[in-house]
Amino acid sequence: MANLVIASNTKAMKKLDKGTKDKVWAFIEKLSADHTASGLHIEPLNAAVDPRVRTGRVDLHFRAILFKIDDKLGDDPTFIYMGTWPHDEANKLAERSRLRVNPINGVLEGIIGELDGEDDRKKRTVVPDPRGELDRAIKSQPKSYLAERFSLADLTERLGLEPDLAERAYAASDEDTLLDIAANAVGWQGSALLDLATGLHIDTIREKHGFTDSPVDDTLDEDEQILKALEQPASKMQFTFVEDDEELRRVIEGGDFAAWRTFLHPEQRKYVEQNHSGAFRLSGGAGTGKTVVAIHRARSLALSDPTARIVLTTYNKTLAADLKAALLTLDPNAVIADRLGEPGIYVGGIDALGNAALNQAGNIADAAENVLGYRGAELTHNRTSADKVWRDVVQSVSSGLDAKLATPGFLENEYVAVILANKVTTLEQYAKVARPGRGVRLSRPQRIAVWKLVEAYRRQSRMDGSLSFPEILALAAEQLRLRAEANQGFFADHVLVDEAQDLHATHWALLRNLVAEGSNDLFIAEDSHQRIYGQPVVLSRFGIKIVGRARRLTLNYRTTAQNLHFAVSILSGAEYKDLEQGEESTDEYRSARLGPNPRLLECDNAADELDKVADKVREWLGAEVDPATIAVLTRGQTDRTQFVRALGERGVDARALDNNPATVGHVQVLTMHRSKGMEFSRVILAGIDDTHVPSAATLRAVPEEERAEALLRERSLLYVAASRARDELVVTWSGKRSELIHSEAGE
């Protein structure tokens, strides 16, 4: 059997129809099984510039371009599949194609040759001496966007960019031009140019892409150098070994040879494969691939140790279902653990995770006494309606608490972040406990008043025989701690958390006690700019010690540069803190794609806005955009219902998206909160006026001291919504436009 490597689609390769893709699969399957089979017609070309190049017969009309690398030990050869083209085109391309190891950085590069005509960009097939002509080019080069920081020689001699690409990049007069060049460059070169555009130093770019100071081992022959270069992280942006037929079928039938499940950026791959001595935190903006890394890492850990008990969790059950589906898309053979504590990958929302841990942890009497102050707590399916109970308690108990604090929102946050987090069971404990991160300072009389309400809340819950989700989590965390203290072990070997910025205190207490502190214990993916729930927390308070094991992703794979600029502008002027209380910045965020500027549509009134939203959706549908990839996002459920009805009345088949999966064939209408973790090709942000965004009702419901924090969440919510759009973004409003939207950010 031949070893098989698949290259990501080159930009020159024509799209293949399904029938041809099926034939490509059959060809590659036969090649992998027996490369000597006569029906494959694997043939060299006499006029080829690279003796390794081959073409193979897919059918009468199409041929595949391959490179054959022989193993000097006589083992099976390695074939690198570069793509499939019409017969005559394939032969002409193959003659001018070359496989080389970049002498500057050691990256393997497959260069598809040039055809006559205007449609194909010229690719160098040799590596010219970078001096002489290049030195003269440097002197004659006018000032450019990069000139103040780099020379042209830096791009070729230190990064290893192709000279013609380097010259075009160096000639770029502004960032937009450079971004356009980067978007059309293949593999690592496009990624490196994006880094240059955002101001990264060349040494930093080399480190992120895994370049070394000794890229080529001269003691090896060329074929051995090529095989070694395949192991280089940046090479894996263009090439991947196919380990089995099932993986190959998924790549071929998926129709996207550069799918995220196969090709990772070197920086992403590093975080997938690295071992850490303790907890690791990966941050990054929307669309930078944090979730992708977490899913790949879960699979990597499972493959390296089939007996490992791995937990993959996130904020809620809807996002958890998406994680599970993505994991099974990546690897349909992944072992999914049905029960917490079993070998394999257990995937679930964190509230369900806490419930499972508590159900499996044994008698909870001691935990209940430590957390709630009494031993008689029972695990029933009754869950406290916290908002209702707090309202009832406030109305029925004469506590003397200020009206601005006697609200369900303030009391619930205080109960979770302070009382449950610190296992407070008496007034004496509450009077002394520290309250870091809480915006409102409480005097002793105020604490006494709050405690009266807490006692009434707990009394009501006992009468109802119910527990709230935070109470379940706090009980689970304490029960797991007691189990470990009694040397009864832990339920997990590795825990991976996505959307970690939205977890509250009892979530973190649970996670810390779910796995022993040690190697690769906790992998935390978060973006504090996307925190739309709860209050900020500090990981160290829960015994989670990052101690320098934190990194940040900055390359956005989802949105265009224009949409990213718009989304980031929403955050401007506000200060955010990460889970270690460090400053969270949007510096260096950049996109791998370009597109149109977001459109800002002011409407005369609410009816006019409904008309314009419907008109825009119909325009997209008329251009044959898949309706399921179009989304209208609203601030609240009432507006969502209104837009579903209005679109239907105007001839657009739309569906409300709540906890249900997205429906095929329908335009999706959903709240901004529901859009978290999703992406769409076209997005309309509707109702972005000063009443809805930020929500005036939400801001009125919080104490003055917490108003700034609530406004940060409103910014974050709009940022989350704006960053759902891959290609086009439209913003509509009637009345006064939201103060969070800057006019210069769109058309």
Side-chain angles (χ1 to χ4, degrees):
M1 289 181 61
N3 300 309
L4 190 60
V5 174
I6 299 287
S8 61
N9 261 349
T10 62
K11 294 184 182 298
M13 194 170 82
K14 302 282 193 301
K15 272 194 170 183
L16 304 176
D17 59 35
K18 185 181 185 306
T20 306
K21 285 179 184 175
D22 290 341
K23 293 176 182 177
V24 168
W25 154 247
F27 168 82
I28 296 180
E29 188 176 40
K30 291 175 186 175
L31 173 67
S32 178
D34 181 9
H35 66 280
T36 64
S38 59
L40 296 174
H41 294 276
I42 305 296
E43 300 168 355
L45 289 89
N46 293 330
V49 297
D50 190 329
R52 301 173 190 82
V53 77
R54 301 287 189 273
T55 63
R57 180 178 176 179
V58 173
D59 65 11
L60 284 173
H61 305 290
F62 285 89
R63 292 189 72 81
I65 296 179
L66 309 152
F67 289 102
K68 180 185 178 186
I69 299 93
D70 291 312
D71 190 302
K72 72 176 185 179
L73 298 178
D75 293 337
D76 291 325
T78 296
F79 283 92
I80 300 179
Y81 169 76
M82 298 299 297
T84 296
W85 284 265
H87 184 285
D88 293 345
E89 190 176 332
N91 286 331
K92 290 180 182 179
L93 281 170
E95 288 179 349
R96 296 167 176 81
S97 296
R98 176 170 183 147
L99 196 65
R100 71 167 190 187
V101 178
N102 189 303
I104 304 299
N105 54 40
V107 179
L108 185 64
E109 298 174 340
I111 303 168
I112 297 299
E114 154 190 35
L115 283 176
D116 294 334
E118 298 293 326
D119 293 336
D120 293 274
R121 176 167 288 133
K122 183 177 179 181
K123 296 284 187 182
R124 300 288 179 100
T125 56
V126 296
V127 182
D129 183 346
R131 309 192 188 284
E133 283 189 25
L134 191 54
D135 286 339
R136 289 190 292 275
I138 293 172
K139 293 176 183 177
S140 63
Q141 194 68 243
K143 278 289 184 181
S144 71
Y145 179 72
L146 295 176
E148 292 184 1
R149 294 186 290 131
F150 308 110
S151 68
L152 182 54
D154 286 334
L155 306 188
T156 54
E157 295 181 39
R158 296 181 63 196
L159 274 183
L161 293 177
E162 293 178 359
D164 61 329
L165 178 62
E167 289 170 15
R168 285 189 289 112
Y170 199 74
S173 59
D174 53 41
E175 181 181 2
D176 287 345
T177 304
L178 183 57
L179 288 172
D180 187 44
I181 295 170
N184 288 284
V186 176
W188 72 268
Q189 299 193 79
S191 173
L193 288 175
L194 281 168
D195 285 334
L196 287 171
T198 52
L200 292 192
H201 192 275
I202 283 181
D203 290 342
T204 303
I205 299 172
R206 287 178 57 85
E207 179 184 357
K208 288 178 66 174
H209 288 78
F211 299 162
T212 65
D213 293 332
S214 302
V216 180
D217 187 347
D218 293 331
T219 65
L220 303 176
D221 64 30
E222 285 191 7
D223 282 356
E224 290 173 318
Q225 289 176 359
I226 288 170
L227 292 175
K228 184 176 180 181
L230 277 169
E231 300 173 4
Q232 221 266 22
S235 298
K236 294 176 182 179
M237 293 182 73
Q238 187 179 5
F239 305 98
T240 187
F241 273 103
V242 176
E243 298 177 2
D244 55 51
D245 287 347
E246 278 304 309
E247 182 178 7
L248 179 59
R249 182 179 291 276
R250 294 199 305 276
V251 172
I252 297 293
E253 293 182 351
D256 182 3
F257 288 75
W260 64 265
R261 60 181 180 267
T262 306
F263 300 93
L264 292 170
H265 187 282
E267 190 176 21
Q268 292 176 319
R269 187 176 296 278
K270 178 171 65 175
Y271 302 137
V272 167
E273 299 173 350
Q274 266 184 348
N275 288 316
H276 307 288
S277 58
F280 179 83
R281 182 175 66 84
L282 182 65
S283 64
T288 54
K290 301 180 297 300
T291 300
V292 169
V293 171
I295 292 168
H296 273 269
R297 185 169 178 83
R299 176 180 184 251
S300 177
L301 289 168
L303 290 175
S304 64
D305 180 6
T307 68
R309 300 162 304 163
I310 300 162
V311 171
L312 177 60
T313 189
T314 187
Y315 180 76
N316 61 32
K317 63 181 181 182
T318 303
L319 294 176
D322 292 342
L323 284 179
K324 187 173 182 179
L327 175 63
L328 290 174
T329 299
L330 170 65
D331 184 359
N333 297 317
V335 177
I336 304 298
D338 295 324
R339 182 178 169 87
L340 182 64
E342 293 180 346
I345 305 172
Y346 180 92
V347 188
I350 194 161
D351 287 337
L353 176 64
N355 203 56
L358 198 56
N359 282 326
Q360 294 173 218
N363 189 300
I364 66 167
D366 289 341
E369 184 172 24
N370 293 347
V371 172
L372 301 174
Y374 66 96
R375 302 179 64 82
E378 296 182 10
L379 291 181
T380 69
H381 294 293
N382 293 339
R383 291 294 168 261
T384 306
S385 175
D387 187 78
K388 180 181 183 302
V389 175
W390 285 121
R391 289 187 188 280
D392 291 345
V393 163
V394 167
Q395 292 173 4
S396 62
V397 175
S398 178
S399 67
L401 186 64
D402 299 344
K404 67 178 183 179
L405 300 181
T407 64
F410 175 82
L411 292 169
E412 177 68 4
N413 285 335
E414 184 76 3
Y415 186 54
V416 174
V418 179
I419 294 169
L420 290 177
N422 292 283
K423 294 180 284 188
V424 173
T425 60
T426 67
L427 172 59
E428 289 73 20
Q429 292 173 334
Y430 183 55
K432 297 175 183 178
V433 72
R435 302 172 60 254
R438 300 291 286 145
V440 180
R441 292 185 178 183
L442 296 180
S443 64
R444 182 174 178 82
Q446 286 176 316
R447 291 199 187 206
I448 293 172
V450 169
W451 190 252
K452 285 183 180 179
L453 296 173
V454 169
E455 286 186 318
Y457 176 90
R458 285 181 164 174
R459 190 163 52 248
Q460 183 64 49
S461 294
R462 288 184 69 177
M463 292 172 58
D464 295 341
S466 67
L467 292 167
S468 68
F469 278 113
E471 287 172 331
I472 289 286
L473 292 161
L475 287 169
E478 180 63 7
Q479 181 67 4
L480 293 177
R481 187 190 70 80
L482 293 172
R483 278 174 52 89
E485 196 175 72
N487 295 318
Q488 294 178 339
F490 295 85
F491 278 145
D493 300 304
H494 312 287
V495 175
L496 301 95
V497 190
D498 193 29
E499 301 288 357
Q501 71 280 349
D502 281 321
L503 304 187
H504 56 60
T506 57
H507 289 136
W508 289 111
L510 169 70
L511 293 170
R512 177 63 286 172
N513 290 299
L514 197 59
V515 59
E517 187 173 353
S519 176
N520 298 325
D521 55 346
L522 283 164
F523 182 91
I524 299 164
E526 64 108 1
D527 177 15
S528 294
H529 291 130
Q530 294 189 69
R531 184 171 55 77
I532 60 177
Y533 299 103
Q535 301 290 318
V537 299
V538 182
L539 292 180
S540 58
R541 285 185 56 207
F542 305 94
I544 299 172
K545 305 163 189 173
I546 302 298
V547 202
R549 293 184 297 271
R551 297 294 183 271
R552 185 163 69 108
L553 297 173
T554 57
L555 177 58
N556 184 299
Y557 295 90
R558 178 193 302 141
T559 65
T560 63
Q562 290 79 3
N563 290 347
L564 177 63
H565 172 70
F566 177 86
V568 169
S569 73
I570 294 166
L571 304 173
S572 63
E575 294 183 2
Y576 287 81
K577 301 282 189 180
D578 61 31
L579 290 174
E580 296 179 87
Q581 283 298 286
E583 294 289 340
E584 188 72 280
S585 171
T586 58
D587 292 349
E588 300 174 5
Y589 282 3
R590 76 267 194 230
S591 172
R593 304 171 54 237
L594 295 175
N597 287 327
R599 291 195 61 193
L600 306 184
L601 294 180
E602 181 176 8
C603 306
D604 296 334
N605 49 51
D608 184 42
E609 184 172 7
L610 295 173
D611 288 338
K612 285 182 176 175
V613 168
D615 289 345
K616 189 61 188 176
V617 171
R618 281 196 298 266
E619 178 187 322
W620 285 332
L621 293 174
E624 299 186 352
V625 176
D626 181 355
T629 70
I630 299 173
V632 178
L633 307 187
T634 66
R635 178 61 180 83
Q637 294 186 3
T638 300
D639 296 317
R640 180 194 66 189
T641 302
Q642 181 183 25
F643 272 95
V644 170
R645 183 172 60 250
L647 288 171
E649 291 170 350
R650 289 160 177 79
V652 176
D653 192 0
R655 293 290 186 275
L657 187 59
D658 195 1
N659 292 327
N660 54 301
T663 52
V664 177
H666 308 291
V667 173
Q668 312 297 317
V669 186
L670 58 158
T671 66
M672 295 179 183
H673 283 90
R674 176 62 178 86
S675 73
K676 190 177 183 66
M678 304 188 73
E679 63 178 55
F680 303 91
S681 69
R682 275 90 175 157
V683 169
I684 297 177
L685 304 183
I688 312 302
D689 56 65
D690 64 343
T691 300
H692 289 85
V693 183
S695 168
T698 298
L699 295 180
R700 281 196 303 268
V702 298
E704 183 63 35
E705 295 89 341
E706 295 185 352
R707 194 73 53 85
E709 181 62 39
L711 183 56
L712 280 184
R713 291 196 296 272
E714 290 291 306
R715 284 185 184 274
S716 294
L717 181 60
L718 187 57
Y719 167 71
V720 166
S723 58
R724 301 307 97 191
R726 291 198 303 267
D727 302 314
E728 291 187 53
L729 177 65
V730 175
V731 182
T732 68
W733 72 93
S734 61
K736 186 178 180 182
R737 185 178 65 200
S738 168
E739 63 184 23
L740 302 182
I741 300 295
H742 303 280
S743 59
E744 64 272 12
E747 287 185 346

